[in-house]
Amino acid sequence: MAVDKTGSFGPKIFLDHVFHLEKRNVLLNCSFFLHPMDSIWLLCYIYIRATGGKNITLVRSDMDSRIAFSCCALLLVTLLPLSANASSKLYIVYMGEKKHDDPSAVTASHHDILTSVLGSKDESLKSIVYSYKHGFSGFAAMLTETQVVALAKFPEVISVKPNTYHKAHTTRSWDFLGLGNKSPQQTDLLRKANYGEDIIIGVIDSGIWPESLSFDDNGYSPVPARWKGICQIGQAFNATSCNRKIIGARWYSKGADPENLKGEYMSPRDFHGHGTHVASTIAGKEVQGVSYGGLATGTARGGAPRARLAIYKALWGPRIRGSDAMILAAIDDAIHDGVDVLSLSLGGGAGHEFPGTLHAVLRGISVVFSAGNDGPVPQTVANVVPWVTTVAASTIDRDYPTLISLGNKEKLVGKSLYYNSTLNNDGFKELVHAQSCTAELLASSNVTGKIVLCYAPWLAPSVLPRVELPLTINRAVGAGAKGLIFAQYTTNLLPMCKGGMPCVVVDYETAQRIESYLAITESPIVKVSPAMTVVGDGVLSPRVASFSSRGPSPLFPGILKPDITAPGVGILAAVHDSYELLDGTSMACPHVSAVTALLKSLHPDWSPAMIKSAIVTTASVTGRFGVPIEAESVPRKVADPFDFGGGHMDPDRAANPGLVYDMDAREYNKFFNCTLGLVHGCEFYQLNLNLPSIAIPDLKDHVTVQRIVTNVGAVGTTYHAVLEAPAGVVMSVEPSVITFTKESSTSMAFTVSFTTRRKVQGGFTFGSLTWSDGNTHSVRIPIAVRVVIQDFVADTS
């Protein structure tokens, strides 16, 4: 704007380029003049490249100069391109189903919409980071807040959200699940599913270490002809890094935090080891004689050892983090490439979901997520949309008892992963108590060269062992300690200490006995012996791990999550060229992904909903001796559906469930629209989604829900309803007997009614509905009901 000022408003004000728009072969350029006689001229030039230019006067108006200047300002606000030079951040623009089959046309539409906001094609190309063009439509772009507001107004844009970051959440576990090579069950699911032969499993994680023996492709047939993916090369990863086992690999670094990329392989190669561990748990080839320093010795293999792996590296650095933009790009490519199952051992917390997964399910791809590692706190479960399978973590029947010998000849037992090391074989060491083992207490206790006891029972309620234990180890090592005895309420989280240093966890009772010895001994000493491996019925299992995130979902309390629990504690699998024991729902998720692949191989016509239903409804809620499964918490308790969903996965039973709760994947679109506030009546719709569970978060008096079961067993079978009503609730089913005859449909509907027996503001209580044929099949769904009398007060327990 140029101003020739001789009075308050002129005699002449000239604003050039009030509006400039370039689209395809048309250029529109407008100039705004205020004449000395106070008349307004808006001159616009339309240039059509094919035919030359034409000068057209669009507007001439006589009005007060002050009004004219206001009009100028208004036009500037509404017509000027939004500056791309202001402070910008990465945003995800989600546009739903793609409108074109041609990916290049989808990307072009993204450039067009960005150009209309940014003002030029060049700015659009600079701004866009990822174009999602295969499974769904959307893009990630660098935008200012003003540009975000402008984009959100376009009718084709469903949502615009800031890019957020997410973190990552075996020799025995498959035997424990009944899928061991030498177990009787081998003749069932494993054999019938041909070990997952040619099922393609996409793993979105931190990459892969292709040289691991777990990914040797000896004996594999050629890559399935339907595969459309690529082997994207990069640092220390060339075309030969892919093979007939790892049939494809991609990596996504655009939009990554630069800190996460330091020291990383700019390729699909796994820097951390997390992705390699996950992939080998799913589909690793059988490797005999592996162990972690002699612990957990046995044969390592994946649950679907003949399946193929497609690797999508979207998590980076030592913290194993990735952003929405990268993960959505990986999901989009996986849909295009032709995967059958998607496994994602990651999450961003209880309030974040990935819309791209819905488009995968719409195309028949089963999606499996980890539930998160923020337990045992309620309402922490992540990945809670109904179309995915959300997996909690539990223990297996393997333990590592560790002998602790005190100087008074008393012998106590803790747990550790401490194995024989030449660095620590010199017997007894001095023992010191540093209470909570803060940096200050460690320094004042002179722990150098000693074994330190960290025991502060008064802090127990506020300590999360998964968070505090690694920090304590780092502080103790930094202070010069040669060993650590750490007291915590759960002894199932075992630390790995570098350099052969013994790190033992004990319960509070054992810690108190050690502390009592310290109190009466002038020169206390202690010896920690290498851990032993104990396997079998003598180990109480399974138990839901203390770190496993718990329901109910704060985002969708009417959707019961997690769905299932699977082994996720002490899982031995490949990491780089060796094998390591890791804990987490990240380790539980690949177990369910593998079983999902086996079921897909066995039942290729089953939908993702049917496979999920088969896994949930056949799960076990009791251990080997008929005792209810427990959940590690404060205190330990009998597990409920918010701990483990339907229960502990039973792969063999899932292969022949009898009945399933199927669902047209398009029904999920209605639920998704509910989450965006685009439709009404969502509470009713949420209750009546045909899920293998029922959650009623606000029962005031009476409610009836509907479900439909589909027979996948023998014709002529009759099922009777067996009810376990939640406490304080009257529950009924109509009809209570269903028979699938040759003449009847393969699907039958029924209703379940709930009536409260007490007018109180209560917490959740739990029950179940089981359809039993009195012989082979017991098809059980978990139920959670909370009675409320006021909407604004609720107990989450």
Side-chain angles (χ1 to χ4, degrees):
M1 178 169 59
V3 179
D4 182 7
K5 198 169 183 181
T6 59
S8 60
F9 276 92
K12 183 174 74 172
I13 297 175
F14 170 79
L15 292 98
D16 199 13
H17 299 306
V18 170
F19 183 58
H20 175 95
L21 173 64
E22 183 175 359
K23 189 172 177 69
R24 300 185 186 275
N25 61 339
V26 179
L27 174 66
L28 176 65
N29 195 30
C30 295
S31 299
F32 212 150
F33 294 90
L34 181 61
H35 260 247
M37 299 299 296
D38 280 352
S39 63
I40 298 171
W41 289 75
L42 178 63
L43 298 179
C44 291
Y45 302 84
I46 301 175
Y47 293 97
I48 302 175
R49 291 190 178 91
T51 59
K54 188 176 183 182
N55 187 353
I56 305 173
T57 301
L58 291 180
V59 178
R60 176 178 177 178
S61 175
D62 296 325
M63 61 178 73
D64 180 82
S65 62
R66 289 167 178 79
I67 298 174
F69 199 75
S70 298
C71 291
C72 294
L74 178 63
L75 277 169
L76 279 170
V77 170
T78 57
L79 298 179
L80 271 178
L82 299 170
S83 173
N85 297 324
S87 177
S88 58
K89 296 178 182 177
L90 190 59
Y91 285 84
I92 310 299
V93 181
Y94 174 64
M95 301 170 67
E97 280 290 340
K98 57 193 178 92
K99 302 298 190 292
H100 308 278
D101 290 330
D102 181 1
S104 62
V106 179
T107 296
S109 71
H110 299 159
H111 289 151
D112 286 345
I113 196 171
L114 261 180
T115 299
S116 66
V117 171
L118 301 182
S120 75
K121 186 69 171 287
D122 285 345
E123 288 297 318
S124 165
L125 292 172
K126 290 176 187 176
S127 170
I128 200 161
V129 176
Y130 290 106
S131 175
Y132 311 126
K133 54 189 179 293
H134 299 298
F136 54 97
S137 179
F139 56 88
M142 299 298 294
L143 303 167
T144 66
E145 291 184 7
T146 306
Q147 292 162 357
V148 166
V149 172
L151 273 171
K153 293 178 180 177
F154 283 78
E156 57 265 55
V157 173
I158 294 175
S159 65
V160 185
K161 294 182 178 180
N163 183 46
T164 55
Y165 280 85
H166 308 276
K167 57 186 177 182
H169 279 150
T170 134
T171 54
R172 178 63 190 170
S173 56
W174 291 113
D175 291 331
F176 182 63
L177 289 171
L179 284 178
N181 272 342
K182 294 181 173 60
S183 68
Q185 287 87 344
Q186 181 198 356
T187 59
D188 294 318
L189 179 55
L190 260 182
R191 181 181 58 79
K192 290 178 181 177
N194 199 19
Y195 300 87
E197 181 80 40
D198 285 351
I199 296 295
I200 302 171
I201 303 169
V203 182
I204 299 178
D205 212 288
S206 64
I208 199 160
W209 196 265
E211 292 81 12
S212 170
L213 294 176
S214 291
F215 309 122
D216 181 10
D217 69 348
N218 241 349
Y220 283 80
S221 57
V223 173
R226 60 191 173 90
W227 173 246
K228 295 187 291 184
I230 63 171
C231 187
Q232 185 180 1
I233 63 173
Q235 183 183 358
F237 198 98
N238 55 37
T240 61
S241 297
C242 295
N243 56 20
R244 290 171 296 181
K245 182 66 175 178
I246 305 169
I247 64 173
R250 297 178 186 260
W251 53 288
Y252 309 84
S253 61
K254 294 178 185 176
D257 183 344
E259 283 296 312
N260 287 335
L261 299 181
K262 288 182 178 178
E264 257 282 9
Y265 294 103
M266 301 307 292
S267 74
R269 183 170 290 278
D270 189 1
F271 170 77
H272 180 275
H274 186 274
T276 301
H277 196 283
V278 166
S280 64
T281 302
I282 297 173
K285 186 176 181 178
E286 183 177 298
V287 182
Q288 297 181 349
V290 303
S291 70
Y292 175 71
L295 297 173
T297 301
T299 299
R301 68 170 181 84
R306 300 289 298 179
R308 314 301 181 111
L309 289 167
I311 303 303
Y312 302 88
K313 181 177 178 179
L315 304 182
W316 297 83
R319 293 185 293 171
I320 331 172
R321 298 181 74 225
S323 73
D324 285 333
M326 296 183 285
I327 294 166
L328 285 173
I331 293 170
D332 187 42
D333 281 336
I335 294 171
H336 165 268
D337 293 346
V339 304
D340 300 303
V341 179
L342 259 180
S343 184
L344 300 97
S345 288
L346 54 88
H352 193 93
E353 305 301 327
F354 299 98
T357 57
L358 172 57
H359 299 276
V361 173
L362 286 168
R363 287 158 178 77
I365 301 168
S366 291
V367 181
V368 186
F369 268 101
S370 52
N373 298 330
D374 296 317
V377 181
Q379 295 186 303
T380 53
V381 64
N383 305 312
V384 295
V385 288
W387 51 83
V388 307
T389 305
T390 308
V391 187
S394 46
T395 64
I396 61 175
D397 62 342
R398 182 170 61 198
D399 220 340
Y400 307 97
T402 304
L403 182 65
I404 302 170
S405 303
L406 302 180
N408 63 358
K409 298 187 179 179
E410 184 176 9
K411 297 188 184 301
L412 304 172
V413 177
K415 296 180 184 179
S416 78
L417 298 176
Y418 172 52
Y419 55 86
N420 228 339
S421 170
T422 56
L423 298 178
N424 276 282
N425 59 3
D426 50 351
F428 285 88
K429 284 185 169 58
E430 288 186 61
L431 174 65
V432 62
H433 183 199
Q435 298 182 12
S436 59
C437 287
T438 62
E440 294 78 11
L441 287 169
L442 286 167
S444 63
S445 300
N446 186 22
V447 301
T448 303
K450 302 172 184 177
I451 292 179
V452 59
L453 171 66
C454 298
Y455 173 47
W458 57 90
L459 295 177
S462 62
V463 172
L464 291 174
R466 186 176 181 86
V467 175
E468 189 60 31
L469 183 51
L471 296 175
T472 303
I473 291 171
N474 289 338
R475 288 195 296 264
V477 170
K482 291 300 182 183
L484 181 72
I485 300 174
F486 187 87
Q488 59 186 30
Y489 62 79
T490 173
T491 57
N492 284 322
L493 288 176
L494 303 183
M496 291 184 186
C497 288
K498 302 299 182 184
M501 186 177 95
C503 294
V504 189
V505 294
V506 296
D507 61 19
Y508 290 131
E509 179 183 346
T510 302
Q512 182 58 50
R513 291 169 69 176
I514 298 173
E515 201 271 340
S516 297
Y517 162 71
L518 276 157
I520 62 172
T521 306
E522 185 175 345
S523 299
I525 57 174
V526 67
K527 177 182 178 181
V528 177
S529 300
M532 299 176 288
T533 304
V534 175
V535 176
D537 291 345
V539 180
L540 180 61
S541 58
R543 282 186 287 185
V544 179
S546 63
F547 60 78
S548 187
S549 290
R550 308 298 212 263
S553 160
L555 198 59
F556 310 122
I559 306 296
L560 200 156
K561 290 285 180 172
D563 295 300
I564 196 74
T565 191
V569 177
I571 305 304
L572 187 71
V575 173
H576 301 148
D577 289 321
S578 61
Y579 290 79
E580 290 188 11
L581 290 158
L582 297 181
D583 304 329
T585 54
S586 282
M587 282 64 252
C589 173
H591 284 84
V592 176
S593 300
V595 171
T596 299
L598 293 176
L599 293 176
K600 236 180 215 309
S601 178
L602 183 62
H603 303 290
D605 57 332
W606 279 14
S607 68
M610 296 171 78
I611 291 174
K612 174 180 170 180
S613 172
I615 292 172
V616 172
T617 61
T618 58
S620 175
V621 296
T622 58
R624 294 186 174 188
F625 302 106
V627 178
I629 293 173
E630 295 180 331
E632 293 281 5
S633 189
V634 188
R636 185 185 301 159
K637 66 183 184 71
V638 173
D640 62 49
F642 289 153
D643 299 314
F644 65 2
H648 190 261
M649 181 174 64
D650 187 331
D652 191 51
R653 288 189 63 215
N656 180 25
L659 303 175
V660 293
Y661 291 77
D662 192 14
M663 189 168 166
D664 186 334
R666 289 172 294 185
E667 289 294 307
Y668 295 127
N669 279 324
K670 297 177 184 176
F671 174 86
F672 183 67
N673 288 336
C674 281
T675 69
L676 299 173
L678 300 178
V679 294
H680 300 290
C682 289
E683 183 178 341
F684 172 81
Y685 179 74
Q686 190 169 288
L687 289 176
N688 288 284
L689 281 171
N690 200 45
L691 302 174
S693 60
I694 297 173
I696 303 172
D698 55 355
L699 179 63
K700 297 182 179 70
D701 183 24
H702 175 85
V703 70
T704 297
V705 302
Q706 178 177 287
R707 292 292 187 272
I708 299 171
V709 287
T710 299
N711 183 31
V712 292
V715 174
T717 305
T718 296
Y719 289 87
H720 294 261
V722 180
L723 307 183
E724 180 191 355
V729 176
V730 177
M731 177 178 160
S732 62
V733 176
E734 180 60 39
S736 60
V737 179
I738 54 177
T739 301
F740 294 91
T741 63
K742 288 183 180 179
E743 293 77 23
S744 68
S745 170
T746 57
S747 297
M748 297 193 71
F750 63 91
T751 59
V752 190
S753 297
F754 300 89
T755 305
T756 179
R757 288 165 40 184
R758 54 187 184 181
K759 295 293 183 181
V760 296
Q761 191 75 14
F764 277 99
T765 57
F766 307 99
S768 64
L769 164 62
T770 304
W771 290 105
S772 173
D773 65 0
N775 185 15
T776 305
H777 302 111
S778 291
V779 187
R780 180 185 181 277
I781 63 171
I783 294 171
V785 177
R786 179 173 59 193
V787 176
V788 298
I789 54 177
Q790 297 180 48
D791 288 335
F792 58 88
V793 179
D795 183 351
T796 62
S797 63

